[in-house]
């Protein structure tokens, strides 16, 4: 389980960097519901980087997604 979480987190980090490099303003990361471990780890990383996030639209994604809102100050890679 620990190895799988790390693989998923690495994918998240790569996609977040890609979004920053392309100056994308909003990105939705689908983490599923499960036991909440991946969601918690993703949000911990976002908190560390002081990046704004919220639950993504329930209508579109259910309970298993986080929307990341990137500001201009977040793009400095």
């Amino acid at each position: 389980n620990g190895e799988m979480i790390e693989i998923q987190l690495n994918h998240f980090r790569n996609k977040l960097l890609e979004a920053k490099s392309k100056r994308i303003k909003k990105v939705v990361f689908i983490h599923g519901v499960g036991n909440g471990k991946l969601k918690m780890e993703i949000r911990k990383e976002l908190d560390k980087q002081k990046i704004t996030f919220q639950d993504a639209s329930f209508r579109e994604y259910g309970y298993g997604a986080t929307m990341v809102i990137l500001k201009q100050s977040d793009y400095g890679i």
Side-chain angles (χ1 to χ4, degrees):
N1 283 348
E3 185 178 336
M4 183 56 108
I5 287 284
E6 200 52 44
I7 290 168
Q8 292 168 317
L9 283 174
N10 284 333
H11 184 72
F12 158 75
R13 290 178 192 116
N14 289 334
K15 291 301 177 184
L16 183 60
L17 278 173
E18 184 180 327
K20 287 178 176 184
S21 71
K22 293 180 178 180
R23 298 192 177 278
I24 294 172
K25 294 179 181 177
K26 292 183 182 178
V27 182
V28 174
F29 289 98
I30 299 171
H31 43 67
V33 180
N35 63 11
K37 178 73 173 161
L38 181 58
K39 176 182 178 177
M40 183 180 68
E41 292 297 324
I42 286 173
R43 290 177 175 212
K44 196 176 350 176
E45 292 248 349
L46 293 168
D47 277 336
K48 266 195 258 181
Q49 296 184 45
K50 295 181 175 31
I51 294 175
T52 304
F53 62 88
Q54 65 189 44
D55 288 337
S57 167
F58 175 76
R59 282 187 176 185
E60 289 184 66
Y61 304 101
Y63 290 109
T66 297
M67 179 187 297
V68 175
I69 300 119
L70 295 168
K71 298 176 282 225
Q72 192 167 3
S73 59
D74 296 323
Y75 297 134
I77 298 173

